[in-house]
Amino acid sequence: MQKRREVFSALGLGLAGFTVGSGLMAATACGRGEQDSGPARARIEIIPGVVDVSDMRIATREARGGDELVLIHPSLARGALDYDIVLPTLARAGYRVVSFDPRGIGATRNSDERLRDITLHDLADDVRALVAALGATSAHLIGHDYGNRVMRTVAVDHPQLVRSLTLWAAGAGTPEPEALQILNTVIDDNAPVDRFQAAVKKGFFAPGNDPRVWYTGWYTRGGVSEWAASTTTPVADYQLGGTARILIVQGLQDFIAPPQKSRDLQARMGARASRVEIDHAGHCMVAEQPTQLSKVTIEFLHSIR
């Protein structure tokens, strides 16, 4: 099974400055993870869509079980499809759940100019515009890995938009040297396949979980732009995530953003931030433990009502 190779080094962008990660091919559960299925559960259909935002056409995937909007931002160089595995469960809890392809990712269409010289504030403006285009005035925001930095920026720049903020696989600070080496291998187009696979397994998956779901589904064009946006945005601009209530969900076997980093982040955010640890989950977590991840997220969302 071959990886769709991604080369970030062409722009001369370094790894220092933020925690990097990715999503998953959402149709496949891995390891101890469970799929949302069963005849006793109401069927929730996932509907693909396109939303016009300025001169962009943003591709979305929506599961609707209510009117209260929950918006999911994918991780670095990943798209909306990664979250099909949790959308129906979240929707069944009474929400309108939308994931989307950011600039340069998946089926979203935008000019090359939209990918140049941007910051996290520009990507946060995309989220603000998307919420409005979806006909909502506010939303519960979920950010997975890289997406958590965008959503934290939204919470700072547009606090009136945010009902709550959920961070999946987030942390404070930068990856450790060995984690940086793994990240370099994963994004190296010339890395031997066996080395790439070993890096994915160690960096992003808990022992016993199947890393093969992370071998495809990468988008270089958008990922390079996202990488640049993060490196050019001061951490202080978004670190504390505004003033909304926050849930941090931590995989206990996360190698890229280990538990101590999320503990540090929670401590900086103070009493408005709560934190839940999930066992048998690494940095991918969405495909590793979709049932548990959905459960703790829904419990938090319900507490906001």
Side-chain angles (χ1 to χ4, degrees), residues 12-270:
L13 301 172
L15 279 165
F18 72 100
T19 304
V20 177
S22 303
L24 299 164
M25 299 304 290
T28 306
C30 56
R32 300 177 177 87
E34 299 172 18
Q35 301 244 17
D36 176 47
S37 62
R41 300 181 180 180
R43 179 174 177 78
I44 298 288
E45 187 176 2
I46 297 176
I47 307 296
V50 177
V51 178
D52 290 323
V53 173
S54 186
D55 61 344
M56 295 188 295
R57 304 201 75 199
I58 297 180
T60 63
R61 297 184 68 77
E62 178 173 338
R64 192 159 191 165
D67 295 326
E68 203 169 330
L69 181 61
V70 175
L71 187 64
I72 302 176
H73 193 299
S75 58
L76 182 75
R78 304 293 303 190
L81 189 63
D82 291 346
Y83 304 93
D84 278 11
I85 198 168
V86 294
L87 256 62
T89 305
L90 298 177
R92 194 174 291 111
Y95 298 97
R96 178 190 182 191
V97 189
V98 178
S99 59
F100 68 100
D101 292 340
R103 300 186 190 194
I105 301 292
T108 285
R109 295 294 174 259
N110 54 266
S111 66
D112 288 341
E113 187 64 29
R114 282 278 187 174
L115 299 178
R116 298 191 187 104
D117 302 321
I118 66 172
T119 68
L120 289 176
H121 299 287
D122 297 306
L123 299 179
D125 284 342
D126 290 351
V127 173
R128 175 194 55 77
L130 179 57
V131 169
L134 290 169
T137 57
S138 63
H140 298 281
L141 304 183
I142 298 176
H144 179 207
D145 184 60
Y146 179 86
N148 92 78
R149 296 193 177 219
V150 178
M151 292 311 206
R152 276 192 272 169
T153 307
V154 176
V156 172
D157 292 355
H158 311 289
Q160 74 287 349
L161 189 76
V162 185
R163 296 204 61 188
S164 71
L165 186 59
T166 301
L167 311 178
W168 293 342
T174 59
E176 298 300 322
E178 189 176 0
L180 289 174
Q181 185 177 25
I182 286 174
L183 293 170
N184 273 310
T185 300
V186 170
I187 64 173
D188 180 4
D189 194 45
N190 296 313
V193 171
D194 59 347
R195 187 186 302 167
F196 160 75
Q197 293 177 354
V200 170
K201 181 177 181 180
K202 181 172 183 178
F204 306 113
F205 290 82
N209 292 346
D210 188 350
R212 291 174 297 176
V213 292
W214 222 334
Y215 290 171
T216 59
W218 300 75
Y219 295 90
T220 303
R221 181 169 171 259
V224 169
S225 180
E226 289 177 330
W227 191 294
S230 191
T231 59
T232 57
T233 305
V235 174
D237 284 10
Y238 63 86
Q239 179 81 305
L240 299 183
T243 59
R245 283 185 57 191
I246 296 173
L247 171 67
I248 302 169
V249 187
Q250 171 69 48
L252 283 177
Q253 289 75 38
D254 191 332
F255 187 82
I256 301 300
Q260 187 56 51
K261 288 186 178 292
S262 67
R263 293 177 190 132
D264 292 344
L265 182 60
Q266 180 190 16
R268 295 179 189 183
M269 290 175 166

Side-chain angles (χ1 to χ4, degrees), residues 248-294:
I248 302 169
V249 187
Q250 171 69 48
L252 283 177
Q253 289 75 38
D254 191 332
F255 187 82
I256 301 300
Q260 187 56 51
K261 288 186 178 292
S262 67
R263 293 177 190 132
D264 292 344
L265 182 60
Q266 180 190 16
R268 295 179 189 183
M269 290 175 166
R272 66 193 174 87
S274 56
R275 182 174 169 278
V276 176
E277 296 180 342
I278 297 180
D279 202 3
H280 308 303
H283 206 55
C284 84
M285 85 163 47
V286 173
E288 290 178 290
Q289 295 294 340
T291 300
Q292 184 65 12
L293 181 62
S294 298

